[in-house]
Amino acid sequence: MKKVACTHCGYEMPVVILPRAECRGLTVRCKNQKCKKVFEIKVEQGKQSR
Ligand SMILES: [Zn+2]
């Protein structure tokens, strides 16, 4: 299963993308202690786009 990755550092978040997922406009803070940046989760047809 694919996971959401931080668009700044690539850290894999504990968020799973299902095959037909669609998402935009959701922001989350990276859980990488060295990054901690806020990024938008964009998913089109189950694939994360940046
Ligand atoms: Zn990050």
Side-chain angles (χ1 to χ4, degrees):
M1 286 198 280
K2 296 195 172 203
K3 288 187 177 178
V4 170
C6 173
T7 56
H8 299 286
C9 70
Y11 185 87
E12 282 196 346
M13 302 286 282
V15 179
V16 172
I17 303 171
L18 295 178
R20 294 165 73 186
E22 297 282 345
C23 177
R24 70 194 303 191
L26 263 189
T27 60
V28 66
R29 187 174 296 276
C30 180
K31 292 188 75 91
N32 181 351
Q33 292 297 309
K34 295 172 183 172
C35 179
K36 287 189 173 179
K37 290 178 182 169
V38 173
F39 65 95
E40 181 179 356
I41 299 173
K42 296 180 194 167
V43 177
E44 294 174 11
Q45 297 183 331
K47 289 181 181 175
Q48 185 179 8
S49 57
R50 299 192 174 187

